[in-house]
Amino acid sequence: MWKTITTIILGKQNRAEERLIEGNATIIIEQKLREATSGHETAKRTLAALLARTKADQRLLDGVENRIRDLEARTRKAIEEGKDALAQDAAQVLADLENERTVRREALTRAEEKAARMRLAVERTERQLIDLKQGLITAKAIESERSSMKAIKGDLSANSAIREGEAVLQRLLASDDPVEEIEALEELEASLKGDNVVDRLAAEGCGPATKVRAEDILQRLGGATAPATS
């Protein structure tokens, strides 16, 4: 029982959170975009500093290699001229320079590899930011559309009222005609009283007519005017 209640509570909380996120989508996206942009700018500055350092390391390495080439030539000349003591000192300096060159090469290689990885990360983040900005435009368009739909909700309710009115009219048109009901009632009453039998007999010439007919009026008027026209 308690497990079911807990599940229901969690489900309602999740639904409420989803509705809250959906209702404030643009606000959330804009804030995340600001946070991501700030982090992205920091990453770009870090990458720029790393690239500057690799260039400086490369210049220092080039300097060491230039000194090695120069000192090798001088040491070779000292050996050729038999200046062994001087050549020995120069060889020691050369050994130190070559060790330094090795260290600097390794450091430069690591820095270049790190810069390459960071550049890929920055480029990927740049593309993601572009996608997020485009998504923000889409989210704003959706929210604008929803606001417009809410604004015209009254118009839609008017259409619904029209449909309901038409339905009432159709029911009215389909209902029984009150005039026909009255005539039917009169015929029924006449039938119950026997009046319809008298009318039928009069219509067959059995006795005088019970009602004046249009034919009777025409015959009477025509008979009255017949001498004048002859």
Side-chain angles (χ1 to χ4, degrees), residues 23 68 102 202 205:
I68 289 174
T102 299

Side-chain angles (χ1 to χ4, degrees), residues 154-179:
D155 296 337
L156 296 178
S157 63
N159 292 336
S160 177
I162 290 173
R163 289 193 296 271
E164 292 176 0
E166 290 175 344
V168 173
L169 177 60
Q170 291 298 326
R171 287 196 297 271
L172 179 60
L173 294 177
S175 63
D176 295 334
D177 188 347
V179 176

Side-chain angles (χ1 to χ4, degrees), residues 29-30 32-33 36-37 40 122-140:
I29 295 174
E30 285 176 344
K32 295 303 178 182
L33 185 58
T37 300
H40 184 55
V122 168
E123 291 175 350
R124 181 173 60 252
T125 303
E126 185 76 23
R127 293 192 297 270
Q128 290 173 338
L129 281 174
I130 293 174
D131 293 340
L132 188 57
K133 289 177 182 178
Q134 293 175 343
L136 178 60
I137 295 173
T138 302
K140 287 183 176 179

Side-chain angles (χ1 to χ4, degrees), residues 64-76 79 87-101:
V64 170
E65 289 181 341
N66 289 335
R67 290 181 61 191
I68 289 174
R69 284 193 295 270
D70 179 69
L71 191 54
E72 281 181 348
R74 295 176 185 276
T75 302
R76 190 176 295 108
I79 293 173
Q88 180 64 36
D89 293 340
Q92 183 59 50
V93 175
L94 274 172
D96 294 339
L97 287 173
E98 289 183 359
N99 289 331
E100 180 182 355
R101 179 177 63 185

Side-chain angles (χ1 to χ4, degrees), residues 126-221:
E126 185 76 23
R127 293 192 297 270
Q128 290 173 338
L129 281 174
I130 293 174
D131 293 340
L132 188 57
K133 289 177 182 178
Q134 293 175 343
L136 178 60
I137 295 173
T138 302
K140 287 183 176 179
I142 292 174
E143 285 196 352
S144 177
E145 180 180 352
R146 289 178 177 175
S147 298
S148 300
M149 292 301 296
K150 289 180 180 179
I152 64 174
K153 187 175 181 180
D155 296 337
L156 296 178
S157 63
N159 292 336
S160 177
I162 290 173
R163 289 193 296 271
E164 292 176 0
E166 290 175 344
V168 173
L169 177 60
Q170 291 298 326
R171 287 196 297 271
L172 179 60
L173 294 177
S175 63
D176 295 334
D177 188 347
V179 176
E180 293 180 353
E181 290 181 359
I182 293 173
E183 292 178 349
L185 181 59
E186 289 178 349
E187 290 179 0
L188 177 61
E189 290 179 349
S191 174
L192 293 175
K193 293 178 181 179
D195 294 344
N196 64 333
V197 174
V198 176
D199 292 337
R200 288 164 56 195
L201 288 170
E204 294 294 332
C206 301
T210 60
K211 295 180 181 179
V212 178
R213 300 174 301 173
E215 292 83 353
D216 297 333
I217 293 176
L218 290 174
Q219 184 177 5
R220 185 180 75 236
L221 294 177

